[in-house]
Amino acid sequence: MPNPFRSPAQLAERLGDVGYLADDALAMAAFLALGLDRPLLLEGANGVGKTEVAKALAELLGRELIRLQCYEGIDTTQALYDWHYGRQLLDMRDSAGRSSADVFTRDYLLSRPLLQALEAGDRAVLLIDELDRADDEFEAFLLELLSDFAVTIPEIGRVAAPAPPLVVLTSNRTRDLHTALRRRCLYHWVGHPDAEREFRILRVRAPHVPTELARQVATAVQRIRGLGLGNPPGVGESIDWAGALHMVGVATLSADVAAATLSALVKDIDDQQVVAGSIDDVVASAS
Ligand SMILES: Nc1ncnc2c1ncn2[C@@H]1O[C@H](COP(=O)(O)OP(=O)(O)OP(=O)(O)O)[C@@H](O)[C@H]1O
Ligand SMILES: [Mg+2]
């Protein structure tokens, strides 16, 4: 399928229309992934918008989002296909003479997300989310799918996508993904937004929060991310914090209210203590 966008800038603008504010480098990576029919591997910290960009691309392209959430121990029966054992048994019992070979056909296959995406082809965006949680074997299994947009099912043969789906893979980098997988993808590191872009994200995602408060939150969160926390807050946490501050009725940030509402922003006791210890500084930087 030809690239539906003229330029990365046009793609960024259209993503903005569906509420996702991409920076130039991410817009370029997504533009290239679409134009070159290559999977897009996104790595980055928690809450920086990796999953959301796949959702936004699906919405923008008018395609179905097919999501595979990875976890330790995930295997092909959850990710690719399984057999409809109940129907196989019933049909073998009901129709005398039907051999077991007759019930290992496409009709008895239950499609899981990867097979659904291959069969949907370019009508789908396939999100393989948090791949770093899956085991090495599962990562190796994905190699054929990512380079050929096809898989081999022993009883059926090769199933190939009629046209490549857009594939977005994400990783929080809790372990290193293999070079073989990286080589098959375009790679982009999703960083935290700068204060200006985070402010614009807050305007889009929390439009009820007054402009001045949103600006202070964006600036304060930048400062908090610079404190060396174990788990710095993501964009999702900034949005929650802005909403929380608005909910308790403040129009401008103060140290007291900032400290009292940290539950929405910082999700670790050690990190909360670090932030609480610097709260005057943080608030002053945003005033
Ligand atoms: N660039 C952006 N434009 C608009 N909203 C954004 C952007 N980045 C993040 N968000 C918001 O932040 C929230 C968190 O983003 P998302 O869930 O995609 O993060 P993530 O990187 O997948 O995090 P995790 O690694 O924890 O899964 C989203 O629901 C969205 O509202
Ligand atoms: Mg995610």
Side-chain angles (χ1 to χ4, degrees):
M1 194 185 187
N3 199 326
F5 303 100
R6 274 194 318 277
S7 62
Q10 191 205 18
L11 172 55
E13 193 186 317
R14 299 280 312 280
L15 278 171
D17 295 342
V18 295
Y20 191 90
L21 306 183
D23 64 14
D24 293 348
L26 175 56
M28 175 61 91
F31 177 77
L32 294 177
L34 274 164
L36 300 171
D37 285 333
R38 295 289 291 276
L40 176 60
L41 171 59
L42 300 175
E43 279 195 321
N46 290 317
V48 288
K50 302 182 296 297
T51 301
E52 196 67 22
V53 71
K55 293 184 187 170
L57 283 164
E59 186 180 345
L60 177 55
L61 294 163
R63 299 189 189 185
E64 181 188 3
L65 178 77
I66 298 178
R67 179 173 183 169
L68 178 69
Q69 171 65 53
C70 297
Y71 51 88
E72 207 180 319
I74 190 171
D75 65 18
T76 53
T77 62
Q78 291 115 27
L80 182 63
Y81 73 95
D82 204 353
W83 294 105
H84 205 312
Y85 293 111
R87 272 190 53 207
Q88 285 178 320
L89 280 174
L90 273 177
D91 286 2
M92 280 176 70
R93 203 184 56 193
D94 291 351
S95 112
R98 187 179 283 238
S99 77
S100 68
D102 298 330
V103 294
F104 284 96
T105 62
R106 180 69 190 83
D107 289 347
Y108 294 89
L109 214 53
L110 290 170
S111 307
R112 304 292 192 216
L114 296 180
L115 187 58
Q116 286 164 15
L118 284 182
E119 292 186 331
D122 63 3
R123 289 178 286 114
V125 171
L126 170 62
L127 168 62
I128 302 177
D129 214 10
E130 305 187 0
L131 179 58
D132 50 331
R133 291 173 184 267
D135 320 288
D136 285 3
E137 297 76 32
F138 185 71
E139 202 186 312
F141 154 77
L142 286 178
L143 296 180
E144 181 190 3
L145 188 143
L146 295 177
S147 49
D148 301 346
F149 299 104
V151 288
T152 304
I153 298 177
E155 298 84 349
I156 299 222
R158 197 161 182 269
V159 180
L166 173 63
V167 183
V168 177
L169 303 103
T170 78
S171 163
N172 283 351
R173 226 185 182 191
T174 55
R175 69 171 176 85
D176 242 350
L177 302 177
H178 290 264
T179 316
L181 182 122
R182 292 174 182 277
R183 280 193 43 241
R184 284 161 174 79
C185 304
L186 303 182
Y187 176 81
H188 178 70
W189 172 262
V190 187
H192 289 114
D194 61 20
E196 181 54 32
R197 198 157 59 87
E198 190 146 20
F199 166 67
R200 289 195 291 120
I201 293 171
L202 287 171
R203 296 302 295 145
V204 172
R205 297 282 166 156
H208 54 289
V209 173
T211 313
E212 186 49 30
L213 183 59
R215 190 167 290 285
Q216 289 185 325
V217 166
T219 313
V221 169
Q222 291 292 317
R223 175 60 74 101
I224 289 170
R225 288 194 190 119
L227 293 175
L229 305 183
N231 283 304
V235 179
E237 282 70 35
S238 301
I239 296 170
D240 285 351
W241 195 38
L245 290 164
H246 181 54
M247 191 182 293
V248 297
V250 299
T252 56
L253 203 56
S254 68
D256 288 351
V257 188
T261 52
L262 280 184
S263 56
L265 184 70
V266 181
K267 312 290 174 74
D268 175 274
I269 180 61
D270 295 336
D271 287 346
Q272 277 193 351
Q273 281 167 356
V274 173
V275 177
S278 308
I279 204 74
D280 289 329
D281 247 19
V282 166
V283 171
S285 76
S287 304

PDB file of all heavy atoms in Angstrom, residues 259-278:
ATOM      1  N   ALA A 259       2.532  18.598  47.415  1.00  0.00           N
ATOM      2  CA  ALA A 259       2.973  17.478  48.259  1.00  0.00           C
ATOM      3  C   ALA A 259       1.792  16.561  48.607  1.00  0.00           C
ATOM      4  O   ALA A 259       1.940  15.341  48.637  1.00  0.00           O
ATOM      5  CB  ALA A 259       3.630  18.019  49.533  1.00  0.00           C
ATOM      6  N   ALA A 260       0.630  17.158  48.811  1.00  0.00           N
ATOM      7  CA  ALA A 260      -0.537  16.365  49.237  1.00  0.00           C
ATOM      8  C   ALA A 260      -1.102  15.507  48.118  1.00  0.00           C
ATOM      9  O   ALA A 260      -1.836  14.558  48.386  1.00  0.00           O
ATOM     10  CB  ALA A 260      -1.616  17.303  49.791  1.00  0.00           C
ATOM     11  N   THR A 261      -0.811  15.853  46.876  1.00  0.00           N
ATOM     12  CA  THR A 261      -1.418  15.120  45.752  1.00  0.00           C
ATOM     13  C   THR A 261      -0.402  14.237  45.009  1.00  0.00           C
ATOM     14  O   THR A 261      -0.669  13.776  43.899  1.00  0.00           O
ATOM     15  CB  THR A 261      -2.055  16.107  44.742  1.00  0.00           C
ATOM     16  OG1 THR A 261      -1.073  17.087  44.398  1.00  0.00           O
ATOM     17  CG2 THR A 261      -3.293  16.772  45.294  1.00  0.00           C
ATOM     18  N   LEU A 262       0.737  14.004  45.627  1.00  0.00           N
ATOM     19  CA  LEU A 262       1.789  13.225  44.937  1.00  0.00           C
ATOM     20  C   LEU A 262       1.353  11.804  44.589  1.00  0.00           C
ATOM     21  O   LEU A 262       1.939  11.151  43.716  1.00  0.00           O
ATOM     22  CB  LEU A 262       3.055  13.158  45.797  1.00  0.00           C
ATOM     23  CG  LEU A 262       3.957  14.391  45.756  1.00  0.00           C
ATOM     24  CD1 LEU A 262       5.220  14.133  46.569  1.00  0.00           C
ATOM     25  CD2 LEU A 262       4.301  14.769  44.325  1.00  0.00           C
ATOM     26  N   SER A 263       0.291  11.333  45.248  1.00  0.00           N
ATOM     27  CA  SER A 263      -0.196   9.969  44.965  1.00  0.00           C
ATOM     28  C   SER A 263      -0.553   9.803  43.488  1.00  0.00           C
ATOM     29  O   SER A 263      -0.512   8.695  42.951  1.00  0.00           O
ATOM     30  CB  SER A 263      -1.413   9.641  45.817  1.00  0.00           C
ATOM     31  OG  SER A 263      -2.416  10.624  45.598  1.00  0.00           O
ATOM     32  N   ALA A 264      -0.920  10.913  42.844  1.00  0.00           N
ATOM     33  CA  ALA A 264      -1.306  10.831  41.429  1.00  0.00           C
ATOM     34  C   ALA A 264      -0.091  10.871  40.500  1.00  0.00           C
ATOM     35  O   ALA A 264      -0.199  10.558  39.318  1.00  0.00           O
ATOM     36  CB  ALA A 264      -2.257  11.974  41.074  1.00  0.00           C
ATOM     37  N   LEU A 265       1.056  11.269  41.045  1.00  0.00           N
ATOM     38  CA  LEU A 265       2.200  11.537  40.171  1.00  0.00           C
ATOM     39  C   LEU A 265       3.363  10.566  40.347  1.00  0.00           C
ATOM     40  O   LEU A 265       3.985  10.140  39.379  1.00  0.00           O
ATOM     41  CB  LEU A 265       2.706  12.966  40.425  1.00  0.00           C
ATOM     42  CG  LEU A 265       3.849  13.441  39.526  1.00  0.00           C
ATOM     43  CD1 LEU A 265       3.332  13.642  38.104  1.00  0.00           C
ATOM     44  CD2 LEU A 265       4.468  14.733  40.045  1.00  0.00           C
ATOM     45  N   VAL A 266       3.656  10.220  41.595  1.00  0.00           N
ATOM     46  CA  VAL A 266       4.866   9.439  41.876  1.00  0.00           C
ATOM     47  C   VAL A 266       4.439   8.156  42.582  1.00  0.00           C
ATOM     48  O   VAL A 266       3.831   8.207  43.653  1.00  0.00           O
ATOM     49  CB  VAL A 266       5.844  10.254  42.755  1.00  0.00           C
ATOM     50  CG1 VAL A 266       7.108   9.472  43.022  1.00  0.00           C
ATOM     51  CG2 VAL A 266       6.183  11.577  42.074  1.00  0.00           C
ATOM     52  N   LYS A 267       4.766   7.004  42.005  1.00  0.00           N
ATOM     53  CA  LYS A 267       4.161   5.746  42.451  1.00  0.00           C
ATOM     54  C   LYS A 267       5.144   4.841  43.200  1.00  0.00           C
ATOM     55  O   LYS A 267       5.137   3.622  43.019  1.00  0.00           O
ATOM     56  CB  LYS A 267       3.558   5.018  41.244  1.00  0.00           C
ATOM     57  CG  LYS A 267       2.690   5.871  40.332  1.00  0.00           C
ATOM     58  CD  LYS A 267       1.365   6.280  40.995  1.00  0.00           C
ATOM     59  CE  LYS A 267       0.550   7.249  40.157  1.00  0.00           C
ATOM     60  NZ  LYS A 267      -0.100   6.713  39.009  1.00  0.00           N
ATOM     61  N   ASP A 268       5.987   5.473  44.006  1.00  0.00           N
ATOM     62  CA  ASP A 268       6.973   4.693  44.757  1.00  0.00           C
ATOM     63  C   ASP A 268       7.323   5.503  46.009  1.00  0.00           C
ATOM     64  O   ASP A 268       7.532   6.722  45.911  1.00  0.00           O
ATOM     65  CB  ASP A 268       8.207   4.488  43.865  1.00  0.00           C
ATOM     66  CG  ASP A 268       9.331   3.799  44.590  1.00  0.00           C
ATOM     67  OD1 ASP A 268      10.131   4.504  45.253  1.00  0.00           O
ATOM     68  OD2 ASP A 268       9.426   2.575  44.505  1.00  0.00           O
ATOM     69  N   ILE A 269       7.398   4.824  47.148  1.00  0.00           N
ATOM     70  CA  ILE A 269       7.586   5.549  48.417  1.00  0.00           C
ATOM     71  C   ILE A 269       8.933   6.285  48.467  1.00  0.00           C
ATOM     72  O   ILE A 269       9.016   7.430  48.902  1.00  0.00           O
ATOM     73  CB  ILE A 269       7.382   4.626  49.647  1.00  0.00           C
ATOM     74  CG1 ILE A 269       7.584   5.390  50.947  1.00  0.00           C
ATOM     75  CG2 ILE A 269       8.278   3.419  49.614  1.00  0.00           C
ATOM     76  CD1 ILE A 269       6.626   6.547  51.150  1.00  0.00           C
ATOM     77  N   ASP A 270      10.008   5.625  48.000  1.00  0.00           N
ATOM     78  CA  ASP A 270      11.318   6.295  48.035  1.00  0.00           C
ATOM     79  C   ASP A 270      11.298   7.530  47.136  1.00  0.00           C
ATOM     80  O   ASP A 270      11.799   8.599  47.508  1.00  0.00           O
ATOM     81  CB  ASP A 270      12.426   5.340  47.568  1.00  0.00           C
ATOM     82  CG  ASP A 270      12.581   4.170  48.536  1.00  0.00           C
ATOM     83  OD1 ASP A 270      12.211   4.334  49.715  1.00  0.00           O
ATOM     84  OD2 ASP A 270      13.050   3.091  48.102  1.00  0.00           O
ATOM     85  N   ASP A 271      10.727   7.372  45.948  1.00  0.00           N
ATOM     86  CA  ASP A 271      10.647   8.507  45.022  1.00  0.00           C
ATOM     87  C   ASP A 271       9.793   9.632  45.605  1.00  0.00           C
ATOM     88  O   ASP A 271      10.132  10.811  45.495  1.00  0.00           O
ATOM     89  CB  ASP A 271      10.042   8.064  43.673  1.00  0.00           C
ATOM     90  CG  ASP A 271      11.010   7.227  42.853  1.00  0.00           C
ATOM     91  OD1 ASP A 271      12.217   7.211  43.188  1.00  0.00           O
ATOM     92  OD2 ASP A 271      10.571   6.583  41.872  1.00  0.00           O
ATOM     93  N   GLN A 272       8.688   9.254  46.258  1.00  0.00           N
ATOM     94  CA  GLN A 272       7.819  10.289  46.845  1.00  0.00           C
ATOM     95  C   GLN A 272       8.591  11.100  47.896  1.00  0.00           C
ATOM     96  O   GLN A 272       8.447  12.313  47.983  1.00  0.00           O
ATOM     97  CB  GLN A 272       6.593   9.648  47.505  1.00  0.00           C
ATOM     98  CG  GLN A 272       5.483   9.339  46.524  1.00  0.00           C
ATOM     99  CD  GLN A 272       4.159   9.011  47.210  1.00  0.00           C
ATOM    100  OE1 GLN A 272       4.112   8.851  48.431  1.00  0.00           O
ATOM    101  NE2 GLN A 272       3.107   8.913  46.415  1.00  0.00           N
ATOM    102  N   GLN A 273       9.427  10.395  48.668  1.00  0.00           N
ATOM    103  CA  GLN A 273      10.181  11.115  49.706  1.00  0.00           C
ATOM    104  C   GLN A 273      11.189  12.081  49.082  1.00  0.00           C
ATOM    105  O   GLN A 273      11.378  13.190  49.563  1.00  0.00           O
ATOM    106  CB  GLN A 273      10.861  10.116  50.639  1.00  0.00           C
ATOM    107  CG  GLN A 273       9.841   9.557  51.640  1.00  0.00           C
ATOM    108  CD  GLN A 273      10.332   8.333  52.401  1.00  0.00           C
ATOM    109  OE1 GLN A 273      11.428   7.825  52.154  1.00  0.00           O
ATOM    110  NE2 GLN A 273       9.512   7.849  53.315  1.00  0.00           N
ATOM    111  N   VAL A 274      11.802  11.646  47.986  1.00  0.00           N
ATOM    112  CA  VAL A 274      12.754  12.539  47.303  1.00  0.00           C
ATOM    113  C   VAL A 274      12.023  13.788  46.808  1.00  0.00           C
ATOM    114  O   VAL A 274      12.480  14.921  46.994  1.00  0.00           O
ATOM    115  CB  VAL A 274      13.432  11.813  46.105  1.00  0.00           C
ATOM    116  CG1 VAL A 274      14.279  12.782  45.302  1.00  0.00           C
ATOM    117  CG2 VAL A 274      14.270  10.633  46.588  1.00  0.00           C
ATOM    118  N   VAL A 275      10.864  13.566  46.169  1.00  0.00           N
ATOM    119  CA  VAL A 275      10.116  14.710  45.622  1.00  0.00           C
ATOM    120  C   VAL A 275       9.632  15.615  46.761  1.00  0.00           C
ATOM    121  O   VAL A 275       9.758  16.850  46.686  1.00  0.00           O
ATOM    122  CB  VAL A 275       8.921  14.232  44.756  1.00  0.00           C
ATOM    123  CG1 VAL A 275       8.112  15.421  44.258  1.00  0.00           C
ATOM    124  CG2 VAL A 275       9.402  13.397  43.581  1.00  0.00           C
ATOM    125  N   ALA A 276       9.100  14.995  47.827  1.00  0.00           N
ATOM    126  CA  ALA A 276       8.607  15.801  48.951  1.00  0.00           C
ATOM    127  C   ALA A 276       9.739  16.655  49.529  1.00  0.00           C
ATOM    128  O   ALA A 276       9.539  17.824  49.888  1.00  0.00           O
ATOM    129  CB  ALA A 276       8.016  14.887  50.026  1.00  0.00           C
ATOM    130  N   GLY A 277      10.952  16.111  49.554  1.00  0.00           N
ATOM    131  CA  GLY A 277      12.104  16.847  50.084  1.00  0.00           C
ATOM    132  C   GLY A 277      12.502  18.028  49.205  1.00  0.00           C
ATOM    133  O   GLY A 277      13.191  18.948  49.668  1.00  0.00           O
ATOM    134  N   SER A 278      12.115  18.019  47.963  1.00  0.00           N
ATOM    135  CA  SER A 278      12.503  19.106  47.046  1.00  0.00           C
ATOM    136  C   SER A 278      11.298  19.903  46.575  1.00  0.00           C
ATOM    137  O   SER A 278      11.389  20.636  45.594  1.00  0.00           O
ATOM    138  CB  SER A 278      13.184  18.529  45.793  1.00  0.00           C
ATOM    139  OG  SER A 278      14.210  17.674  46.121  1.00  0.00           O
TER     140      SER A 278
END
